[in-house]
Amino acid sequence: MPSLLFVCLDNICRSPLAEGALRAEAARRGLALTVDSAGTGDWHAGEAPDWRAQATARRHGVDVSGLRARQVTSDDFRRFDHVIAMDHENLADLRALAPADATARLSLLLDCVPGRAGQAVADPWFGDQAGFETTWTDVSAAARAIVDALAIPSDTAAGRPCN
Ligand code: 4NP
């Protein structure tokens, strides 16, 4: 079963929304996968997603209230096929944190979305509710693209998504 870990700074805004969007899309399409999310930092470890993230997901029919923030561990780089960063700073931090025997492929979430490769999912934390809607638009587009990519048979266990 393919496994994906989404990573942002604090694991209370973007990456839990990415996790919720991918869980919902995979369930809708009948695709089995392992998905989790984490933060490069531990400032909000143990907390539920930000209430604005919860409200945005709920408006789109997805419940992320049961998720709890945690920090990335070195084991994540061996356990997951794909460790997927929300922005360039997250990606640089992940490259620095990765142990020598890491097997996970690192990428940016929007690499999966046609025309958006190399772009960041903007951090909505300091903005208003509208920013969380933009986050949802980004993560749900990526979730659809990831499920599309995983639905194509691949002979390499850790092949796909999305580059
Ligand atoms: P996230 O957003 O990395 O998408 O979870 C943030 C959440 C909290 C803070 C910054 C970004 N903060 O500064 O507390």
Side-chain angles (χ1 to χ4, degrees):
M1 183 157 39
S3 58
L4 302 92
L5 178 70
F6 295 126
V7 178
C8 59
L9 178 63
D10 270 338
N11 194 208
I12 56 170
C13 297
R14 292 164 292 175
S15 61
L17 286 178
E19 179 181 348
L22 183 59
R23 282 189 190 283
E25 185 64 16
R28 193 157 37 235
R29 307 263 299 267
L31 185 74
L33 46 72
T34 297
V35 56
D36 196 5
S37 63
T40 55
D42 69 349
W43 299 279
H44 292 271
E47 294 180 16
D50 184 279
W51 68 269
R52 297 166 294 177
Q54 292 192 40
T56 301
R58 198 176 311 117
R59 254 199 315 281
H60 292 277
V62 176
D63 180 7
V64 296
S65 65
L67 302 180
R68 293 295 176 267
R70 72 172 181 87
Q71 190 173 27
V72 170
T73 67
S74 10
D75 205 36
D76 287 327
F77 294 91
R78 295 179 286 262
R79 280 202 310 128
F80 290 91
D81 299 328
H82 300 276
V83 175
I84 302 178
M86 298 298 115
D87 67 27
H88 302 86
E89 184 184 341
N90 308 147
L91 186 58
D93 289 343
L94 287 168
R95 288 197 171 116
L97 287 167
D101 61 348
T103 47
R105 289 172 58 187
L106 303 185
S107 62
L108 284 170
L109 183 70
L110 290 178
D111 288 347
C112 285
V113 179
R116 305 284 311 271
Q119 294 182 18
V121 177
D123 184 350
W125 169 258
F126 293 105
D128 57 15
Q129 185 76 48
F132 283 80
E133 200 56 45
T134 302
T135 305
W136 182 263
T137 302
D138 285 352
V139 301
S140 54
R144 286 191 295 275
I146 288 170
V147 171
D148 285 346
L150 290 174
I152 302 165
S154 166
D155 52 3
T156 55
R160 312 205 154 87
C162 281
N163 44 17

